[in-house]
Amino acid sequence: MRSVGGVSQWASAVTAAMALATMIFLAPLLSWLPSATLAVVVIVYSVGLIQPGEFRKIGQIRMMEFRWAAIACLGVLLFGTLEGIVVAILASLLGLASQTAQPPVYVIGRKPGEDVLRPLAARHPDDETVPGLLILRPEGRLFFINVQHVAAQIRELIETHQPEVVVLDMSRVQDVEYSALMMLMEGEQQAHARGVTLWLAGLNPGVLENVRRSGLASQLGESRMLFNARAAIRQYQQGRE
């Protein structure tokens, strides 16, 4: 519509009405047109929908969405419109499932001179960490599909940093399933046996309730369940004074 100057909702409504009228009243006449002629009409209309610039922009911003767009395009070309759309939807669902099954676990540092906590990254080489304290921030819902992946990342980071205290900043975790709670309880026991203390911080009300019901809260004690990561840093530093 914008290619012919239409920008309002009325323009879209008029176009839809004209298309409906064409289907109702002109379909018998159009049926007499040769298939090649109809194909040319479809091709001419479809060419305007192909925008290579948008593909490049998607690829520059998010490679996963670029793959989905490419799969949708190839699916339509190879299998037809409806089948191609179904292929694209399935590919999108698989991509989302992969993200859910492999959530990230970030090491959190503090921006120098400011009360800003953020994941350590190469573009922030000066971010500070507290010696002996490792703050880890898992993201997303923790459940049976991804719990082993998250646990493996946490173990690897503990091995790398060798902290005295590990703080799991749960502020980005919306929900914790039973299997994940059992993993936390088992992980806390294993960490304690190796001389590493586990703290939890930033629990939302729902997750906090599950932690209490599971017995993990009793296992940790109230002193190891903090309001947020900043409170954990303050408590750790006060304990070192």
Side-chain angles (χ1 to χ4, degrees), residues 10-225:
W10 277 109
S12 299
V14 170
T15 301
M18 293 179 63
L20 180 61
T22 300
M23 293 173 59
I24 295 175
F25 300 109
L26 299 182
L29 296 177
L30 294 176
S31 65
W32 291 96
L33 289 174
S35 297
T37 303
L38 293 175
V40 169
V41 173
V42 172
I43 291 172
V44 170
Y45 177 78
S46 300
V47 166
L49 300 177
I50 301 174
Q51 300 177 350
E54 286 295 319
F55 271 85
R56 288 194 297 270
K57 188 174 181 180
I58 293 172
Q60 292 170 355
I61 298 174
R62 286 273 293 176
M63 185 53 64
M64 177 171 286
E65 278 82 351
F66 175 79
R67 296 192 189 102
W68 294 347
I71 290 172
C73 181
L74 292 175
V76 170
L77 292 176
L78 295 176
F79 305 112
T81 303
L82 293 179
E83 293 82 356
I85 292 174
V86 171
V87 169
I89 292 173
L90 291 176
S92 301
L93 291 175
L94 289 174
L96 292 174
S98 176
Q99 287 183 325
T100 302
Q102 298 179 328
V105 177
Y106 296 110
V107 178
I108 302 301
R110 181 164 52 192
K111 186 177 181 180
E114 299 186 31
D115 188 25
V116 175
L117 300 180
R118 60 189 179 186
L120 296 182
R123 63 180 180 274
H124 305 305
D126 297 328
D127 281 4
E128 304 167 342
T129 58
V130 179
L133 179 67
L134 177 62
I135 303 176
L136 302 179
R137 179 189 290 166
E139 296 201 353
R141 182 171 180 260
L142 301 183
F143 61 117
F144 69 97
I145 290 179
N146 61 26
V147 63
Q148 295 299 328
H149 177 77
V150 172
Q153 290 185 84
I154 292 174
R155 285 194 296 267
E156 182 179 349
L157 290 169
I158 291 175
E159 287 289 338
T160 300
H161 294 272
Q162 295 292 316
E164 298 176 9
V165 174
V166 174
V167 178
L168 289 186
D169 178 5
M170 306 287 280
S171 59
R172 303 293 177 85
V173 176
Q174 301 90 355
D175 186 30
V176 179
E177 197 185 60
Y178 173 81
S179 55
L181 288 169
M182 295 302 102
M183 180 272 291
L184 288 173
M185 296 180 71
E186 180 181 350
E188 191 278 332
Q189 294 173 350
Q190 294 175 352
H192 180 73
R194 298 172 56 186
V196 179
T197 303
L198 175 66
W199 295 358
L200 297 181
L203 302 170
N204 69 47
V207 173
L208 177 59
E209 182 64 24
N210 290 336
V211 167
R212 286 174 173 164
R213 288 179 178 177
S214 69
L216 178 57
S218 300
Q219 182 175 319
L220 294 175
E222 291 297 326
S223 64
R224 289 197 278 160
M225 297 175 60

